[in-house]
Amino acid sequence: MTDEQMPSLADLMDGDEEGLSDVDYVAARVAEATTPGFHSGFMCLVGRPNAGKSTLTNALVGSKIAISSSKPQTTRHVIRGVVSTAQAQLVLIDTPGLHKPRTLLGERLNDLVFDTWSQVDVIGVCLPSNQRIGPGDAYLVSQIAELAHRPTLIALATKSDLVSSGRMAEHLASITELEQQTGVTFAEIVPCSALEGSQVDEVRDIVIGLLPEGPAYYPDGEITDEPTETLVAELIREAALEDLRDELPHSVAVEIVEMGNREGRPQDRPLLDVVANIVVERNSQKGILIGAKGSHIREVGTRARSHISALLGTPVHLDLQVKVLEDWQSDPRYLNRLGF
């Protein structure tokens, strides 16, 4: 079946067959769209902050679709990346990290995580090789173990480039102990390094081997279903987070005010105009983000323009403003406005 013939989820739900329930109807249409021997499904990566989840997502997809940072709770949206081969399609879902919520935003992000876990086929638990496995890892895996529908689990010993072979052997033994402690069984345990590309292809092939037969959910060549505005906003937020410390990173959000190609430009010399607000919770945070005589906001703009241009393949003019929305993380109106 060609991409043009492939029904969307909306198509699948639009219509009925006499005597079939909605669920049976969808199942029948999906089966009709499935090529024998073709495997497809969904996977999410989980782990402590800075475990390498977003970096591995980008490495598997082959393009930067998820922002990465050493700051906790960097990921706030569910980002879907698509990995396609001749015989399979893997949809990677990069989720926020599970954490103890202190705000309404934190509660909503945790709900999003649990909802995603219950719907995927495979969960990859990222356990960085350069860190000891601790109570946080055990808690995370135990929460997955309690799911009514538990996906297939694999353990990913990320950041393998940072450790010796001896330390890696210790780490793999600790992962086995984690299985015994939490009562789960990992289908595979795979050392990998997203930064160097070591064993990334092996991770992809192992996960694909665990997927059921199914249709291609996305056209060949598509790497994400995220709206361009969302990706641009996330790249701006990543640039803003780079030099920030303490609690300020949690208070930063980005909203796109306006985005579009500048009129009157030659077709071979396009320019994308982006107007965006960087949102913080207090006036003191606004001053930090702007910096002395605007020095920090200029650095943010320079970094963000570079990443946006690389992603979209076009020059970018970026107009950034810093806006204060008091305690936006705990205000339902502001959360809804900012897309949470």
Side-chain angles (χ1 to χ4, degrees):
M1 179 172 288
T2 66
D3 296 334
E4 290 77 9
Q5 295 172 311
M6 182 64 64
S8 67
L9 184 58
D11 294 332
L12 292 173
M13 295 303 293
D14 182 20
D16 198 359
E17 295 284 347
E18 187 174 351
L20 287 179
S21 69
D22 288 343
V23 172
D24 289 337
Y25 177 73
V26 171
R29 291 296 307 278
V30 168
E32 178 185 323
T34 301
T35 302
F38 192 91
H39 291 255
S40 64
F42 298 81
M43 174 195 187
C44 72
L45 298 173
V46 304
R48 285 179 288 154
N50 203 25
K53 302 182 294 293
S54 296
T55 306
L56 183 54
T57 296
N58 292 334
L60 286 164
V61 172
S63 184
K64 186 179 182 65
I65 62 164
I67 70 172
S68 56
S69 170
S70 60
K71 311 296 189 299
Q73 291 132 53
T74 296
T75 303
R76 286 180 177 162
H77 298 273
V78 170
I79 304 292
R80 292 178 180 85
V82 184
V83 181
S84 297
T85 70
Q87 293 299 319
Q89 188 173 86
L90 168 64
V91 183
L92 275 163
I93 304 177
D94 188 39
T95 61
L98 189 67
H99 63 288
K100 185 176 182 179
R102 297 180 295 106
T103 63
L104 179 59
L105 172 62
E107 293 175 8
R108 290 188 178 184
L109 294 183
N110 274 359
D111 290 342
L112 189 62
V113 171
F114 281 114
D115 185 56
T116 302
W117 287 358
S118 66
Q119 297 183 50
V120 297
D121 301 287
V122 179
I123 292 179
V125 182
C126 294
L127 301 162
S129 306
N130 63 331
Q131 300 176 32
R132 302 289 177 182
I133 292 176
D137 300 302
Y139 172 76
L140 181 66
V141 175
S142 67
Q143 291 297 297
I144 298 171
E146 292 179 6
L147 293 173
H149 164 67
R150 188 193 303 177
T152 301
L153 301 183
I154 65 171
L156 302 170
T158 55
K159 306 189 180 184
S160 62
D161 57 301
L162 299 180
V163 299
S164 65
S165 57
R167 169 68 190 117
M168 178 59 73
E170 293 177 11
H171 190 62
L172 297 179
S174 296
I175 293 175
T176 301
E177 292 174 6
L178 180 64
E179 289 181 293
Q180 298 168 352
Q181 179 183 350
T182 57
V184 306
T185 300
F186 293 119
E188 297 281 352
I189 301 175
V190 191
C192 59
S193 168
L195 195 62
E196 292 193 346
S198 174
Q199 299 238 113
V200 171
D201 288 346
E202 284 76 1
V203 172
R204 177 201 63 200
D205 293 342
I206 286 169
V207 174
I208 285 175
L210 297 171
L211 300 179
E213 283 198 355
Y217 295 100
Y218 296 90
D220 190 31
E222 190 165 327
I223 61 171
T224 183
D225 66 353
E226 283 304 299
T228 302
E229 286 192 4
T230 300
L231 293 173
V232 169
E234 287 292 270
L235 290 175
I236 294 170
R237 187 164 68 91
E238 179 184 50
L241 292 178
E242 188 165 315
D243 300 324
L244 300 181
R245 299 188 299 254
D246 302 324
E247 290 298 307
L248 184 50
H250 301 129
S251 301
V252 174
V254 174
E255 62 176 348
I256 302 299
V257 178
E258 187 177 347
M259 188 170 79
N261 289 321
R262 183 172 298 183
E263 295 182 0
R265 299 278 296 190
Q267 286 190 349
D268 60 344
R269 294 183 59 203
L271 180 66
L272 179 69
D273 283 314
V274 179
V275 180
N277 290 330
I278 300 179
V279 177
V280 294
E281 293 187 300
R282 294 186 291 278
N283 279 315
S284 59
Q285 296 170 341
K286 179 177 180 178
I288 294 171
L289 199 53
I290 292 174
K293 298 182 179 179
S295 58
H296 185 254
I297 196 68
R298 283 196 298 272
E299 292 175 7
V300 171
T302 299
R303 288 195 293 262
R305 272 195 303 274
S306 173
H307 291 311
I308 297 168
S309 295
L311 176 70
L312 303 181
T314 185
V316 173
H317 175 264
L318 187 57
D319 182 0
L320 295 179
Q321 302 294 324
V322 182
K323 189 170 186 176
V324 178
L325 297 179
E326 279 199 42
D327 297 323
W328 69 263
Q329 293 185 84
S330 297
D331 190 320
R333 297 169 303 164
Y334 291 148
L335 289 175
N336 294 337
R337 169 177 163 179
L338 295 170
F340 298 108

